[in-house]
């Protein structure tokens, strides 16, 4: 077996040490928050799970859409929510994996109601096609023309610069811009629900690493990180943190905008942080290093399986609507505070406005509350 030069080169990157040191500190800080109140006789704020059932006048089952549903946390969430009575729409890039995942879940749960649709969140065209396909399927299946739950789970950690057909950094568009666009396009279906509906955005403890934020076309496209300049060292850790910070900032801003509307529009918005989960997200990191990282995290008791790590996502999906705007972390219905910067309302408004501009540039119509943005 030859020497692993790829792993050696990766170790020499600043981004590797950022992941190994700063990300670890951010993760430990999040868990520290769960324990912080114990000496003072308090417990972290937590919310019980409530199974969702349709009103007696509606015969359709509640419908849930999960992106990135063919593996890891997305697949685990699909299994859990199908058990809760949801008709689960699995959204993923590969039709083969969608079919395989559906067969696997149906083997374990024979009465599961599942449907697969192809989507690539790094393509506006694919997102628009997905929305149209879902709407047509609802009509053809004689289901109520609405959805009750959207889980924006899909995400990637790319270690090299790749541009999407829309001209954006692939990680930024997959992790944030695509989720923003999909949510905007599906809001009419969520608002049309005869029962309270919900959006769960999956973020990450790595958002705590973001301290200097500029919201403009340069940052959202990835140009601010010199992705397009031919720089040899692609700042993938930095971009991943920023994309997850944007997901969180977007979650809080959408929550505020929905709260400003009349009470009849009962859409809640939750953020969920699963912590460190053994999924395929590290597939672009040299195998020896990703295996070493998982071994160390497992030894420290910080590494979770998808079945356990999905807890915070399911907590957010099934929490009472009063929990809207909360940051779920640690399972057992627990919530903690995210970074102070993530609560900056002016920053949230700026992100919303600039993201809407991106949609308009792509000939898409963003949703806007009556209160304006």
């Amino acid at each position: 077996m030859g020497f692993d030069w790829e792993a050696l080169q990766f170790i020499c990157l600043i981004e590797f040490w950022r992941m190994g040191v700063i990300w670890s500190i951010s993760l430990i800080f999040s868990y520290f928050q769960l324990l912080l109140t114990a000496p003072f006789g308090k417990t972290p704020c937590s919310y019980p799970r409530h199974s969702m059932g349709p009103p007696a006048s509606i015969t359709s089952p509640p419908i849930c859409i999960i992106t990135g549903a063919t593996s890891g946390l997305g697949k685990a969430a699909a299994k859990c929510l199908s058990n809760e009575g949801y008709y689960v729409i699995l959204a993923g890039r590969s039709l083969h994996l969608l079919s395989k995942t559906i067969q696997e879940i149906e083997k374990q749960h024979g009465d599961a109601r599942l449907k697969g649709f192809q989507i690539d969140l790094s393509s506006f065209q694919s997102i628009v096609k997905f929305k149209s396909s879902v709407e047509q399927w609802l009509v053809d299946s004689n289901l109520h023309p609405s959805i009750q739950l959207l889980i924006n789970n899909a995400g990637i950690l790319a270690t090299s610069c790749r541009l999407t057909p829309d001209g954006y950094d692939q990680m930024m568009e997959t992790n944030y811009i695509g989720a923003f666009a999909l949510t905007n396009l599906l809001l009419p279906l969520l608002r049309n629900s005869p029962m309270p509906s919900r959006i769960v955005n999956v973020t990450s403890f790595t958002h705590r690493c973001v301290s200097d934020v500029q919201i403009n076309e340069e940052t959202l496209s990835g140009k601010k990180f010199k992705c397009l300049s031919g720089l040899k060292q692609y700042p993938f850790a930095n971009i991943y943190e920023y994309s997850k910070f944007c997901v969180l900032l977007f979650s809080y801003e959408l929550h505020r905008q929905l709260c400003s509307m009349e009470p009849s529009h009962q859409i809640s918005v939750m953020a969920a942080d699963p912590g460190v989960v053994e999924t395929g997200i590290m597939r672009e990191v040299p195998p020896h290093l990703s295996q070493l990282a998982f071994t160390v995290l497992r030894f420290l008791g910080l590494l979770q399986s998808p079945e356990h790590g999905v807890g915070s996502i399911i907590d957010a999906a099934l929490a009472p609507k009063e929990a809207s705007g909360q940051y779920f972390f640690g399972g057992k219905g627990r919530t903690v505070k995210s970074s102070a910067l993530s609560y900056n309302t002016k920053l949230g408004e700026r992100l919303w406005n600039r993201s809407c501009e991106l949609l308009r540039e792509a000939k898409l119509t963003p949703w806007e509350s009556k209160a304006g943005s």
Side-chain angles (χ1 to χ4, degrees):
M1 184 175 180
F3 189 79
D4 193 341
W5 287 104
E6 182 187 12
L8 179 61
Q9 290 177 335
F10 200 85
I11 289 174
C12 294
L13 298 177
I14 295 176
E15 299 301 296
F16 167 78
W17 294 102
R18 188 176 184 90
M19 291 173 62
V21 178
I22 300 180
W23 285 17
S24 297
I25 294 172
S26 298
L27 176 63
I28 292 170
F29 180 79
S30 294
Y31 279 109
F32 179 70
Q33 282 191 299
L34 295 177
L35 305 173
L36 187 61
T37 53
F40 301 98
K42 300 179 181 178
T43 56
C45 183
S46 62
Y47 295 89
R49 294 181 180 180
H50 293 280
S51 295
M52 183 181 290
S57 59
I58 303 296
T59 58
S60 302
I63 295 174
C64 166
I65 295 177
I66 305 174
T67 64
T70 57
S71 64
L73 291 166
K75 181 196 289 188
K79 291 179 181 178
C80 290
L81 291 171
S82 63
N83 280 340
E84 294 290 337
Y86 279 89
Y87 202 134
V88 180
I89 295 177
L90 294 87
R93 287 181 296 179
S94 168
L95 287 174
H96 170 71
L97 290 178
L98 284 168
S99 177
K100 182 179 178 181
T101 303
I102 289 174
Q103 290 176 7
E104 180 182 327
I105 297 176
E106 287 178 338
K107 273 188 178 180
Q108 298 176 2
H109 310 289
D111 57 349
R113 288 169 288 191
L114 308 165
K115 178 68 177 178
F117 285 100
Q118 190 174 32
I119 187 174
D120 181 357
L121 286 168
S122 66
S123 165
F124 286 139
Q125 182 179 5
S126 178
I127 294 170
V128 171
K129 182 180 179 182
F130 170 83
K131 181 236 185 185
S132 298
S133 298
V134 169
E135 289 178 327
Q136 188 60 51
W137 172 75
L138 290 171
V139 172
D140 295 341
S141 303
N142 198 30
L143 295 170
H144 191 272
S146 65
I147 59 174
Q148 284 63 54
L149 177 60
L150 168 63
I151 300 181
N152 287 310
N153 164 74
I156 62 170
L157 174 63
T159 59
S160 61
C161 177
R162 296 188 291 269
L163 298 183
T164 69
D166 299 320
Y168 299 115
D169 172 82
Q170 186 184 36
M171 188 153 44
M172 276 303 302
E173 186 161 15
T174 301
N175 294 0
Y176 169 66
I177 300 172
F180 180 86
L182 179 64
T183 302
N184 268 263
L185 292 181
L186 294 181
L187 270 170
L189 290 177
L190 288 158
R191 295 181 67 192
N192 197 40
S193 174
M195 56 193 292
S197 55
R198 175 161 304 173
I199 299 162
V200 176
N201 290 328
V202 180
T203 182
S204 166
F205 59 89
T206 60
H207 83 272
R208 299 184 186 279
C209 305
V210 177
S211 57
D212 179 25
V213 179
Q214 297 176 13
I215 304 297
N216 51 42
E217 193 271 341
E218 294 289 306
T219 54
L220 293 183
S221 68
K223 294 178 183 177
K224 185 256 184 183
F225 302 100
K226 300 183 180 178
C227 172
L228 310 181
S229 67
L231 191 69
K232 288 185 178 181
Q233 186 172 331
Y234 176 61
F236 56 88
N238 206 317
I239 297 177
Y240 182 82
E241 298 160 8
Y242 182 74
S243 69
K244 289 299 183 178
F245 176 81
C246 286
V247 168
L248 186 55
L249 204 61
F250 155 56
S251 302
Y252 292 154
E253 178 59 22
L254 180 57
H255 162 72
R256 285 189 289 266
Q257 293 203 27
L258 291 170
C259 285
S260 71
M261 298 175 64
E262 59 269 25
S264 59
H265 298 296
Q266 299 183 46
I267 306 176
S268 51
V269 185
M270 319 293 192
D273 176 357
V276 179
V277 182
E278 191 169 5
T279 67
I281 198 167
M282 297 276 282
R283 64 175 63 89
E284 294 190 27
V285 175
H288 289 162
L289 295 182
S290 60
Q291 290 169 11
L292 176 61
F294 283 149
T295 300
V296 172
L297 289 167
R298 189 179 296 110
F299 175 77
L300 295 174
L302 299 175
L303 183 65
Q304 307 168 89
S305 67
E307 291 71 26
H308 186 263
V310 77
S312 62
I313 298 175
I314 304 302
D315 288 341
L318 301 181
K321 64 181 181 181
E322 294 77 26
S324 184
Q326 295 295 319
Y327 181 86
F328 284 81
F329 175 81
K332 300 179 182 178
R334 293 177 292 182
T335 62
V336 297
K337 290 291 184 182
S338 54
S339 69
L341 191 62
S342 66
Y343 295 106
N344 187 313
T345 56
K346 290 184 179 179
L347 206 57
E349 291 175 5
R350 203 177 309 148
L351 176 66
W352 179 275
N353 292 334
R354 185 60 193 121
S355 300
C356 285
E357 289 176 18
L358 295 183
L359 295 194
R360 293 189 191 98
E361 290 169 6
K363 308 301 182 185
L364 302 178
T365 303
W367 173 84
E368 292 181 343
S369 69
K370 288 185 178 180
S373 57

